[in-house]
Amino acid sequence: MITVEHLTRSYGDFLAVDDVTFGVERGEIVGLLGHNGAGKTSIMKMLTGYLEPTSGTVRVDGLEIGSDTRAIQKRVGYLPENCPVYPEMSVIDYLDFQASLHGVEEAQRPRAVARAIRRTALREKALQPIDTLSRGYRQRVGVAQAILHAPDIVILDEPTNGLDPTQIVAMRELIRELAQSATVIVSTHILQEVQAVCDRVLILRSGRLVVDARLDALQQETRLLVSVDGESRAPLAGVAGVAAVEARGQVDGLWQYALEAAPEAAPEVVSALSAAGRRLYALQPQHRDLETLFAEVNRLADEKEVAHG
């Protein structure tokens, strides 16, 4: 449905998005994950046509940002990171105004506004001026305006920003509901938000896409973590069932390794280390999750940056 190819965005000499390529299928919930400044917001602005790419293309069902921007924007609901609102307007008046901007026919606006208010739990605040609302309720108003016109693509930049725990749970439920009829892209720097609602994760670092993985596949991956008293890459690499060996450095004089292997390979690992004359201090299985993957990505990137000075 959405195809992004070699997307790049520069601000003067600063490269905010660096040659990013990915696709999103209809009905997916995809999380853009990364530290602040990783390029998430710039990518979202380019996906919605509010920011022109320096180079690269964004296509939606054959339409292309640039030549078909307006046609694409009609299909998109967008919550910016800091959603612009008119604080002097009431919630219901603001949403009615936004419905007109989205092209909702006048006869259909009351129904569209009422539905958005119900879905974002704003009924008790509907007649209040926006400037009297808490940050969390303003965020909900922003989500309501994004879904007024029943878009088939919903792009949410930090949708749980400012919400309390109860509101966060409600927002997660809304995102899952939206995915029943729309493709949803969510940006966040919070691991738990991606794990709670997303099918896929795209991890960004310094403007580059470093991981594109489905969460269900990620959770099925298992590894063995090994601590031994000396360098042991060669004997470990020769073990049947071990697909790869990653050296993790030394901790308290022990050599740490992560093996791409199922737990069933553990006896062979022990035998290989014993035959090589290594003393084994720890051997444990690890199921990879998003937190583990994110930590690995940042550790490897930091090591690379240090190595290149």
Side-chain angles (χ1 to χ4, degrees), residues 35 203-205 293-303:
H35 295 301
I203 299 180
L204 297 160
R205 183 181 170 99
L293 178 61
F294 192 66
E296 288 175 5
V297 166
N298 286 291
R299 177 179 58 80
L300 293 172
D302 288 340
E303 290 176 357

Side-chain angles (χ1 to χ4, degrees), residues 21 83 116 130 145 174 180 199 272 308:
T21 296
C83 182
I130 292 175
Q145 66 79 29
L174 175 58
Q180 296 175 11
D199 304 312
H308 287 82

Side-chain angles (χ1 to χ4, degrees), residues 141-198:
V141 173
V143 175
Q145 66 79 29
I147 64 176
L148 274 167
H149 55 306
D152 53 13
I153 301 171
V154 179
I155 297 178
L156 306 174
D157 197 351
E158 302 284 356
T160 59
N161 189 21
L163 303 187
D164 63 34
T166 300
Q167 293 169 337
I168 288 173
V169 171
M171 182 63 69
R172 291 172 179 173
E173 293 174 352
L174 175 58
I175 291 172
R176 295 188 193 99
E177 179 190 335
L178 290 172
Q180 296 175 11
S181 58
T183 299
V184 183
I185 300 176
V186 180
S187 123
T188 183
H189 60 278
I190 303 173
L191 289 166
Q192 292 85 348
E193 293 307 307
V194 174
Q195 291 182 152
V197 299
C198 294

